[in-house]
Amino acid sequence: MINESAVGLNGLDIKNLRKDFPVLNREVHAKPLVYLDNAASSQMPRQVIESYTDYFSNYHSNVHRGVHTLSQEATDLFENSRLSMQKFLNAGDSKEIIFTSGTTDGMNLVAQSFGRTNVKEGDEVLISAMEHHSNIVPWRMLCDEKKAILKVIPMNDKGELDLEAYSNLLTSKTKIVGIMHVSNALGTINPIKQMITEAHAKGIPVLVDGAQAVPHITVDVQDLDCDFYALSGHKMFGPTGVGVLYGKKELLEEMPPYRGGGDMILNVTFDEIIYNNIPYKFEAGTPGIAQVIGIGRAAEYLMDKGREELYAYENDLLEYATDKLSQIKGLRIIGTAKNKASVISFVLEGIHPHDIGTLLDQEGIAVRTGHHCAQPVMERFKIPATTRASFAFYNTKEEVDILVNGIKSVIEIFN
């Protein structure tokens, strides 16, 4: 087993924190699991897992519809998660918290509701060169439908956005800016607040993809003043299949529903439909109730453990890993921005990332290989794919050392 003796900054006890995550006790190919694929999906602590099973064991019933006890109790748990997410993001009103199936769903909601209403022929939508496909494809689809223009903020060789180009791209034709807070492929933390302020000075709303930010940064949507902010549960130590879209109340109230069905209506006849109030207007059908409860518990877990301390430890771990990996001959880190979250993408000279990932797996090391749903990023750096090691607060420097030794073993095999 891994020693787990790490102590983080401010006396943070990583050994005890790791006990909250059952999967970290398992072995892969007879080796202790070293889980470094957190940017794809982070692991769930037992507190989240228990909230999930507790719902199915004691409260399983549909929400918002029933007068019986189980339905009312399930509704209370469901809506308490909305309050937890409001606190987690510091939203001004719980009605600004919409439950989705994930970040992708949230981005599509904005594109199909706000976008289809406000983007016309000849208008422009502005995104960046480092976006995940979830913030490219919905806008490309909309622009094709509306005969609008999709414009792209370029980035430099370090993986940092060209802010001068950004300023020049903001015009009277720009109807919305869609930008990721943290790059899943590069780890870059973008200067979101500055970019939002600049867009707002020209009356342009901003949608932020926060999937990779909320596990690593304390996000305050009121301080950022973003118009929309999307995130996923499984990136922040919660379940898959659930996410949140934060939207400013006044914008959400003006937007038409994205989907039709139950719960998003107040009254239906064959001649007229009266839509429900926000947030329910955007939550058609029976939701993933257990998943929603789980994401709320994940948010509570992070707040209870002290986000600032967790993130400071992560940053220390990132610096340690960056230094160690940089010393490996033939290894090139893709994404060297000054301000980064705990993601390191790299290539090894003469070795395909898929081969690296397969061989590391034999050592019990889980990393991600491929284009990370960011093919334009790969094209920008003229590479087909990268190997990506992504860290969470339950990882240790000892695990980084295991990764380094694993990479050296891969190099020896190919030499």
Side-chain angles (χ1 to χ4, degrees):
M1 295 293 292
I2 291 171
N3 189 353
E4 302 179 355
S5 59
V7 176
L9 302 176
N10 302 318
L12 189 66
D13 191 339
I14 305 304
K15 179 180 180 180
N16 277 331
L17 277 174
R18 285 176 63 89
K19 292 178 181 177
D20 287 339
F21 296 83
V23 75
L24 299 182
N25 293 318
R26 72 161 292 181
E27 293 186 346
V28 174
H29 300 299
K31 303 287 179 63
L33 171 65
V34 175
Y35 188 80
L36 302 177
D37 193 22
N38 295 285
S41 283
S42 51
Q43 297 298 334
M44 288 191 292
R46 55 179 174 78
Q47 291 88 337
V48 173
I49 297 169
E50 289 168 0
S51 74
Y52 206 78
T53 56
D54 180 52
Y55 162 75
F56 283 116
S57 299
N58 299 295
Y59 307 103
H60 181 47
S61 180
N62 215 326
V63 293
H64 300 141
R65 294 180 173 91
V67 296
H68 61 82
T69 299
L70 261 65
S71 179
Q72 291 178 359
E73 290 175 342
T75 299
D76 288 344
L77 289 169
F78 185 93
E79 291 301 328
N80 282 341
S81 279
R82 200 183 305 275
L83 296 174
S84 294
M85 293 308 304
Q86 176 194 358
K87 183 178 179 181
F88 184 72
L89 295 174
N90 193 33
D93 194 317
S94 64
K95 294 177 181 178
E96 297 177 318
I97 301 297
I98 299 166
F99 288 120
T100 66
S101 66
T103 305
T104 298
D105 190 25
M107 310 298 266
N108 276 273
L109 193 162
V110 176
Q112 291 300 312
S113 180
F114 179 89
R116 293 187 77 186
T117 303
N118 293 282
V119 177
K120 310 298 182 187
E121 183 174 351
D123 287 341
E124 296 174 357
V125 173
L126 183 57
I127 61 174
S128 87
M130 65 175 63
E131 297 306 311
H132 188 280
H133 294 169
S134 294
N135 199 32
I136 299 174
V137 178
W139 298 114
R140 181 69 271 162
M141 292 168 66
L142 180 73
C143 287
D144 289 345
E145 175 188 337
K146 296 289 187 176
K147 297 182 180 179
I149 301 165
L150 186 66
K151 293 212 165 181
V152 181
I153 310 159
M155 63 178 164
N156 62 25
D157 291 339
K158 293 182 177 180
E160 299 168 328
L161 293 181
D162 184 335
L163 297 181
E164 183 178 352
Y166 171 67
S167 299
N168 293 331
L169 286 165
L170 292 170
T171 72
S172 59
K173 292 184 177 180
T174 310
K175 296 306 176 184
I176 189 167
V177 174
I179 187 75
M180 62 189 347
H181 198 159
V182 173
S183 168
N184 69 307
L186 305 170
T188 306
I189 302 175
N190 289 315
I192 291 296
K193 187 174 181 179
Q194 174 187 340
M195 297 177 77
I196 292 169
T197 299
E198 195 166 349
H200 283 179
K202 296 187 177 182
I204 303 167
V206 180
L207 160 67
V208 181
D209 173 353
Q212 297 293 336
V214 290
H216 311 293
I217 299 170
T218 300
V219 174
D220 183 333
V221 292
Q222 292 190 78
D223 179 62
L224 291 176
D225 197 29
C226 55
D227 301 279
F228 304 101
Y229 198 97
L231 60 89
S232 294
H234 69 108
K235 308 289 189 184
M236 53 172 281
F237 315 100
T240 56
V242 65
V244 163
L245 175 69
Y246 158 82
K248 285 183 176 177
K249 186 177 178 182
E250 58 271 22
L251 289 174
L252 295 176
E253 287 176 338
E254 293 174 358
M255 289 161 52
Y258 171 37
R259 295 189 177 102
D263 237 27
M264 49 75 67
I265 48 86
L266 290 177
N267 191 62
V268 174
T269 70
F270 290 115
D271 299 314
E272 181 185 28
I273 299 171
I274 301 175
Y275 298 125
N276 207 339
N277 299 316
I278 61 169
Y280 308 113
K281 180 171 68 171
F282 297 105
E283 295 179 354
T286 299
I289 301 168
Q291 289 91 332
V292 167
I293 293 169
I295 194 176
R297 188 63 193 94
E300 292 162 10
Y301 179 87
L302 287 169
M303 291 186 286
D304 291 345
K305 296 299 180 183
R307 284 183 282 178
E308 295 302 327
E309 290 79 8
L310 297 178
Y311 302 158
Y313 169 76
E314 255 187 43
N315 188 62
D316 182 55
L317 192 65
L318 174 64
E319 291 180 2
Y320 180 81
T322 302
D323 178 63
K324 291 292 185 180
L325 291 172
S326 297
Q327 295 176 35
I328 299 176
K329 186 177 180 180
L331 185 148
R332 177 164 66 102
I333 293 176
I334 306 298
T336 55
K338 183 178 180 181
N339 197 14
K340 284 187 63 174
S342 52
V343 169
I344 302 179
S345 281
F346 63 90
V347 292
L348 283 177
E349 187 177 349
I351 308 174
H352 197 283
H354 292 172
D355 293 329
I356 298 169
T358 300
L359 291 169
L360 289 178
D361 179 63
Q362 297 300 311
E363 300 299 317
I365 305 166
V367 294
R368 181 68 48 162
T369 64
H371 54 61
H372 316 299
C373 292
Q375 285 180 289
V377 174
M378 301 299 121
E379 292 172 7
R380 168 64 178 77
F381 287 95
K382 297 180 173 59
I383 53 177
T386 70
T387 302
R388 184 184 68 188
S390 50
F391 308 95
F393 55 79
Y394 46 62
N395 292 125
T396 67
K397 290 182 179 179
E398 183 180 359
E399 289 181 314
V400 172
D401 293 338
I402 293 171
L403 171 65
V404 169
N405 289 332
I407 294 170
K408 289 179 179 178
S409 296
V410 171
I411 294 172
E412 288 177 5
I413 290 171
F414 279 85
N415 287 340

